[in-house]
Amino acid sequence: MRGIIGIIVLIQGALGALGRTFTDSTGWGILPHWYDLPTLGYVAMAAAGLALIAWEEADKKRRKRVGSGG
């Protein structure tokens, strides 16, 4: 579940940062319709999404290793 949430957070953060960087200061995605975040806020959101994805993948590997008896 963390992985799916991480993907959504990553996409929204990346779209917001790219939109604010390459357009007329409005982010892309759904969040700019609700919140006015600075570009670094979107970058931090994308980084948090990456962290959630990495956490989920590491947890999957750990569970697989423990489940195989190693």
Side-chain angles (χ1 to χ4, degrees):
M1 187 66 164
R2 284 184 302 252
I4 294 169
I5 294 171
I7 290 170
I8 293 169
V9 171
L10 171 66
I11 290 170
Q12 287 300 312
L15 287 174
L18 290 172
R20 289 184 66 86
T21 301
F22 295 113
T23 63
D24 60 352
S25 297
T26 58
W28 299 331
I30 193 75
L31 286 178
H33 296 283
W34 299 325
Y35 304 105
D36 185 27
L37 296 175
T39 303
L40 287 178
Y42 287 114
V43 171
M45 186 181 298
L50 278 174
L52 284 172
I53 293 168
W55 183 14
E56 179 67 21
E57 291 301 316
D59 197 34
K60 281 182 189 177
K61 287 181 182 179
R62 183 190 57 80
R63 281 183 284 172
K64 186 177 179 181
R65 189 173 50 238
V66 169
S68 66

